[in-house]
């Protein structure tokens, strides 16, 4: 079957694609950090693949040798019942292996009152598929499952071994699922289908989430002083952000992306209330090109500068602590035939020209460092600041965007191994 015939089959059968995603959205696979609900998604995928005649393995990341000794292992995530799913679909030749991966967990639903529909409904309405995980990242799992079904029904056997992996523990700075998948399979190339807007990423920012507390040195009956303290911390954090921005502007793969200007984002500021009138908390996420040792040194210097200003005001800052793993800055192989092929497929379907760039915090560095230097991300998710985008209430993906993404991946899978 050639590419055009495959595109026709996708259009004809797209309701099956939408049905797969709807079913997946209805499965609660929220990740809460120290624990997660990924197992029901794993069970669903194992059965769905079995129905297609494909044997799949469900396993805990802890089952992979060397995981807990690895530099990027992130402890405290209670992985015993959190599952990855992998399946190997043999091709006509076994001297080349491609892994197509996507994560099965979602961020929490949060306050349901912020949603205008049931977060687990999977409803198709006005050309959109609605629900938590629709654009981060269950659409990718639905797409690959649908393509496997089409390949099976049309007798398509690929000229390489295709490894499918649905990995757990991606959200909240996890990474153990992606690390386990990379260590277990060691493919030639990795297509990680977790991204946005048909971007291709071949480098991943370093950094993570941090939070810190400021406390009054005397008992207060008003938290007004703490507001001034948070303002001091914000001022110093913006200077820290500017240094991060300069670092990314000097990197070819990042300078034309949004990463330099979003190198630090404020996530939470709590003053008084449940913290008492004597304390305040601030939480941010930051991106960096620096390694962990250098970053921790800078954060210690930041703490000292803040306290030089706060102590005369009768307050003390305890410093910043990581609330996620530290993401290691990594750049894959920029000259990557597989990524060049993906660019061709994107252009064929959409007419757009794309090239590899750097990404925000993601599991891509884990795959680059432990799976393949030619790992890259490609996805159709919607951005964090979009209405109904990733991590937002009323999450959705447009049906047309999902079909286009599936066509691009289909063309890539069909042509990979021939280049």
């Amino acid at each position: 079957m050639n590419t055009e015939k495959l595109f026709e089959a996708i259009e004809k059968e797209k309701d099956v694609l939408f049905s797969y995603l709807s079913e997946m959205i209805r499965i609660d696979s929220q990740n809460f950090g120290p624990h997660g609900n990924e197992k029901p998604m794993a069970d669903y995928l194992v059965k769905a693949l079995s129905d297609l005649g494909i044997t799949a393995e469900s396993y805990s990341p802890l089952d992979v040798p060397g995981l807990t000794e690895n530099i990027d292992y992130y402890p405290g995530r209670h992985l015993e019942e959190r599952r990855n799913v992998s399946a190997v679909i043999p091709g006509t030749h076994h001297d080349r292996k491609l892994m197509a991966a996507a994560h099965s967990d979602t961020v929490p639903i949060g306050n349901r009152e912020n949603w205008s529909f049931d977060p687990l409904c999977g409803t198709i309405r006005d050309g959109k598929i609605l629900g938590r995980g629709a654009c981060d990242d269950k659409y990718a799992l639905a797409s690959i499952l649908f393509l496997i079904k089409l390949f099976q029904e049309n007798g398509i056997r690929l000229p390489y071994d295709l490894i499918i992996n649905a990995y757990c523990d991606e959200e909240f700075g996890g990474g153990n699922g992606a690390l386990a998948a990379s260590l277990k399979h060691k493919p030639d190339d990795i297509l990680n289908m977790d991204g946005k807007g048909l971007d291709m990423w071949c480098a991943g920012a370093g950094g993570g989430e941090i939070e810190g507390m400021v406390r009054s040195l005397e008992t207060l009956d008003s938290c007004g002083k703490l507001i001034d303290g948070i303002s001091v911390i914000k001022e110093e954090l913006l200077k820290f952000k500017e240094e991060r921005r300069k670092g990314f502007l000097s990197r070819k793969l990042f300078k034309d992306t949004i990463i330099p200007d979003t190198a630090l984002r404020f996530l939470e500021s709590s003053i008084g209330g449940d913290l008492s009138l004597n304390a305040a908390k601030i939480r941010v996420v930051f991106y960096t090109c620096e390694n962990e040792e250098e970053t921790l040194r800078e954060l210690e210097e930041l703490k000292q500068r803040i306290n030089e200003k706060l102590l005369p005001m009768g307050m003390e800052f305890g410093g910043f602590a990581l609330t996620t793993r530290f993401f290691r800055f990594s750049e894959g192989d920029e000259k990557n035939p597989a990524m060049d092929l993906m660019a061709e497929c994107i252009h064929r379907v959409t007419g757009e020209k794309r090239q590899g760039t750097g990404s925000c915090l993601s599991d891509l560095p884990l795959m680059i460092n432990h799976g393949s230097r030619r790992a890259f991300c490609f996805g159709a998710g919607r951005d964090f600041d979009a209405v109904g985008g990733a991590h937002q209430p009323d999450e959705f993906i447009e049906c047309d965007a999902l079909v286009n993404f599936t066509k691009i991946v289909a063309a890539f899978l069909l042509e990979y191994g021939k280049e």
Side-chain angles (χ1 to χ4, degrees):
M1 176 181 280
N2 62 31
T3 304
E4 293 306 317
K5 288 292 185 182
L6 186 56
F7 288 174
E8 290 176 9
I10 290 170
E11 286 287 350
K12 182 179 179 181
E13 300 293 330
K14 62 185 178 183
D15 285 346
V16 177
L17 168 63
F18 302 157
S19 177
Y20 274 142
L21 179 52
S22 293
E23 290 173 2
M24 291 180 188
I25 290 171
R26 294 184 189 114
I27 300 170
D28 182 348
S29 58
Q30 295 176 84
N31 180 342
F32 298 98
H35 63 93
N37 297 336
E38 294 96 334
K39 190 174 183 300
M41 263 297 294
D43 294 341
Y44 170 89
L45 290 169
V46 168
K47 183 179 186 306
L49 287 166
S50 176
D51 290 344
L52 297 175
I54 296 168
T55 300
E57 177 186 5
S58 173
Y59 63 95
S60 165
L62 294 174
D63 296 337
V64 176
L67 181 91
T68 57
E69 295 80 28
N70 191 280
I71 187 175
D72 285 318
Y73 168 64
Y74 189 38
R77 306 289 284 193
H78 293 73
L79 298 170
E80 292 79 8
E81 291 301 317
R82 306 175 78 164
R83 318 297 287 183
N84 279 13
V85 173
S86 65
V88 179
I89 302 174
T92 56
H93 298 85
H94 306 297
D95 56 351
R96 194 160 181 185
K97 294 177 172 58
L98 168 70
M99 184 164 76
H103 66 87
S104 60
D105 59 329
T106 71
V107 294
I109 289 166
N111 186 347
R112 288 178 181 252
E113 293 183 0
N114 294 329
W115 291 72
S116 64
F117 49 78
D118 178 356
L120 300 178
C121 67
T123 300
I124 302 172
R125 181 192 306 162
D126 300 326
K128 302 171 183 176
I129 304 176
L130 312 178
R132 179 56 85 215
C135 73
D136 184 26
D137 188 28
K138 291 183 176 181
Y139 75 90
L141 293 172
S143 179
I144 198 68
L145 186 61
F146 172 69
L147 287 176
I148 292 170
K149 183 175 187 296
L150 282 187
F151 290 172
Q152 297 282 82
E153 290 175 348
N154 290 278
I156 297 173
R157 192 173 180 196
L158 300 170
Y160 56 88
D161 289 346
L162 177 62
I163 304 164
I164 305 301
N165 199 287
Y167 58 95
C168 65
D169 193 28
E170 190 272 344
E171 304 291 1
F172 284 108
N176 291 309
L179 175 59
S182 300
L183 293 173
K184 182 179 178 67
H185 294 292
K186 290 288 185 180
D188 297 292
D189 292 280
I190 299 176
L191 168 61
N192 186 31
M193 298 177 292
D194 182 23
K196 64 178 182 64
L198 305 185
D199 288 341
M200 292 190 302
W201 298 335
C202 55
E209 284 188 16
I210 53 175
E211 69 177 25
M213 298 281 291
V214 57
R215 298 182 183 276
S216 172
L217 297 177
E218 60 181 0
T219 303
L220 302 176
D221 63 356
S222 168
C223 65
K225 178 191 285 190
L226 277 305
I227 297 175
D228 296 334
I230 289 292
S231 296
V232 168
I233 297 172
K234 178 182 177 182
E235 179 183 349
E236 291 297 327
L237 279 171
L238 290 176
K239 295 176 184 177
F240 179 78
K241 174 183 178 179
E242 180 59 23
E243 291 303 310
R244 310 281 75 71
R245 178 178 177 273
K246 291 177 182 177
F248 282 112
L249 288 175
S250 70
R251 300 277 182 166
K252 176 184 175 183
L253 292 171
F254 287 88
K255 65 179 183 178
D256 295 323
T257 72
I258 65 170
I259 300 302
D261 289 334
T262 59
L264 184 140
R265 290 180 285 118
F266 294 89
L267 301 179
E268 179 184 357
S269 177
S270 304
I271 302 173
D274 293 339
L275 295 171
S276 89
L277 297 177
N278 305 310
K281 179 175 74 171
I282 190 165
R283 182 168 62 92
V284 302
V285 62
F286 72 95
Y287 306 148
T288 185
C289 305
E290 305 293 344
N291 60 35
E292 184 172 9
E293 182 180 7
E294 174 63 19
T295 301
L296 293 177
R297 183 189 65 77
E298 290 189 53
L299 290 174
E300 182 60 28
E301 292 176 354
L302 180 62
K303 170 188 172 182
Q304 293 173 10
R305 290 198 303 273
I306 290 171
N307 275 324
E308 286 173 3
K309 296 182 177 181
L310 289 185
L311 288 171
M313 299 167 63
M315 290 174 283
E316 184 176 24
F317 180 62
F320 287 106
L322 277 163
T323 57
T324 64
R325 65 181 170 92
F326 183 83
F327 290 71
R328 289 198 290 146
F329 177 84
S330 299
E331 293 180 302
D333 290 346
E334 188 179 351
K335 294 182 178 180
N336 184 343
M339 199 164 65
D340 293 341
L341 172 61
M342 182 62 79
E344 293 175 12
C345 295
I346 295 170
H347 184 260
R348 190 183 313 172
V349 174
T350 69
E352 299 180 25
K353 293 185 177 181
R354 298 296 178 99
Q355 60 184 13
T357 66
S359 76
C360 58
L361 301 183
S362 74
D363 283 350
L364 178 59
L366 296 170
M367 296 179 174
I368 291 173
N369 293 326
H370 305 291
S372 169
R373 296 295 303 174
R374 296 197 300 268
F376 70 101
C377 282
F378 169 69
R382 305 178 66 253
D383 214 341
F384 298 117
D385 61 356
V387 175
H391 300 191
Q392 295 287 348
D394 286 355
E395 184 179 343
F396 68 87
I397 192 168
E398 298 93 342
C399 293
D400 289 346
L402 177 57
V403 170
N404 276 346
F405 171 80
T406 303
K407 287 180 179 178
I408 294 167
V409 173
F412 175 81
L413 295 179
L414 210 58
E415 297 296 324
Y416 177 85
K418 298 178 183 178
E419 79 278 6

